[in-house]
Amino acid sequence: MEKALIQCVGICKTYPKDSKRVLDALTFDIHKGEILGVFGPNGAGKTTLISILCSIQQASDGSVWFYLPEKTSPKAARKFIGFVPQDFAFFPELTALQNLEYFGKMQGVPSTLLKSRIDELLQKVGLFSVKNKKVLTFSGGMKRRLNLIIALLHQPEILFLDEPTVGIDVQSKMAIISLLQELNKQNVTIVYTSHHLKEAEDFCSKIILLDHGKIVANDSLDVLLKTHNVSNLEELILHVTGKELRD
């Protein structure tokens, strides 16, 4: 089998003054070119896991290794990683162009390439005509699209997304998914969370289900549906994690 791009072994996470493990001994691999969807009930540990993979947080125990192609830590792999958080990560009082110029320089994109890269991405998500408008005037869908392309300026090999299409119109959602599919065809590896389960069914090549900080399912959607004798991702999640309400 092809060597993993990302190897996670025994990842645990606990927070100070809380003995309960948010993540409990997670072991799994991510291979180059995969679109991995991480799903589960609220509080399952999805955002914490992505934060650890991006080196925003540190695991309490266990290890994460990237093979790019040499073995390296998440912190050393940052220049290859793009991260799109659920919360907006830009300056609303600046224009879209000013935000992209700022973050492009922060990411180390050469000045000779930055303008063309910005123009290309703005065109792809339909924001070129409003690039000189302040972001605080943007709709939610426009802000989501800007949030995404900020993470793409340095052409990352691995893209982590936490709820990239939450709370937006169907047109913006389609634009975001279309761009992500285009990137994946260029062999960009994608790891993402979403509560839009129908979207995820069509988008993901592999599924990890978390519950109470543990992996309760890990395989392609087709295999998981067949194994658990269910017809879609929503039924699978309910079958594996139960119907109990979560905080």
Side-chain angles (χ1 to χ4, degrees):
M1 186 178 179
E2 182 185 355
K3 189 175 182 179
L5 174 66
I6 306 171
Q7 188 175 57
C8 303
V9 181
I11 299 175
C12 297
K13 181 65 178 179
T14 55
Y15 290 106
K17 300 180 181 179
D18 187 356
S19 60
K20 181 181 177 182
R21 283 184 172 181
V22 179
L23 298 176
D24 190 358
L26 306 189
T27 296
F28 62 96
D29 293 341
I30 302 171
H31 291 86
K32 189 168 182 61
E34 282 186 337
I35 302 178
L36 172 65
V38 181
F39 304 101
N42 289 337
K46 303 182 293 295
T47 296
T48 300
L49 174 59
I50 286 183
S51 296
I52 289 171
L53 294 177
C54 294
S55 81
I56 295 169
Q57 296 191 59
Q58 285 190 325
S60 304
D61 200 3
S63 59
V64 178
W65 296 107
F66 287 73
Y67 295 86
L68 295 162
E70 299 299 321
K71 183 177 180 181
T72 189
S73 67
K75 187 174 182 180
R78 277 183 177 176
K79 64 181 179 180
F80 300 97
I81 291 173
F83 175 52
V84 184
Q86 182 174 347
D87 295 328
F88 293 129
F90 46 64
F91 300 103
E93 68 277 10
L94 300 182
T95 67
L97 179 59
Q98 289 170 331
N99 270 284
L100 290 164
E101 288 174 339
Y102 173 80
F103 286 106
K105 290 173 183 176
M106 288 283 289
Q107 294 167 6
V109 181
S111 298
T112 52
L113 298 177
L114 185 56
K115 183 182 184 303
S116 62
R117 184 69 179 148
I118 288 173
D119 287 350
E120 175 191 2
L121 289 170
L122 285 168
Q123 292 280 10
K124 284 183 182 293
V125 297
L127 293 177
F128 187 81
S129 64
V130 294
K131 65 180 181 180
N132 291 313
K133 291 189 176 182
K134 289 186 177 182
V135 178
L136 56 82
T137 68
F138 283 12
S139 68
M142 295 164 74
K143 290 175 180 177
R144 285 284 167 209
R145 285 178 268 152
L146 178 62
N147 215 38
L148 170 60
I149 63 174
I150 284 171
L152 300 178
L153 288 166
H154 63 303
Q155 297 181 292
E157 293 185 27
I158 308 161
L159 188 59
F160 293 93
L161 307 104
D162 191 4
E163 297 282 355
T165 61
V166 65
I168 61 173
D169 59 276
V170 66
Q171 290 83 3
S172 289
K173 187 186 302 184
M174 288 178 63
I176 288 172
I177 294 298
S178 177
L179 178 53
L180 294 176
Q181 288 172 330
E182 179 184 333
L183 291 168
N184 185 246
K185 287 178 181 177
Q186 298 166 11
N187 222 20
V188 174
T189 304
I190 296 172
V191 180
Y192 106 130
T193 72
S194 177
H195 282 98
H196 296 289
L197 301 184
K198 184 62 178 72
E199 167 192 296
E201 285 183 3
D202 299 332
F203 184 54
C204 297
S205 58
K206 190 176 178 182
I207 301 289
I208 284 180
L209 296 185
L210 296 179
D211 195 21
H212 299 296
K214 296 178 179 288
I215 293 176
V216 292
N218 178 12
D219 214 320
S220 70
L221 181 60
D222 288 344
V223 169
L224 291 174
L225 295 181
K226 185 175 181 180
T227 299
H228 295 278
N229 193 28
V230 292
S231 59
N232 56 53
L233 181 54
E234 180 177 329
E235 289 182 10
L236 175 66
I237 292 173
L238 289 172
H239 177 77
V240 174
T241 66
K243 297 182 180 180
E244 178 187 352
L245 295 174
R246 312 300 172 89
D247 294 332

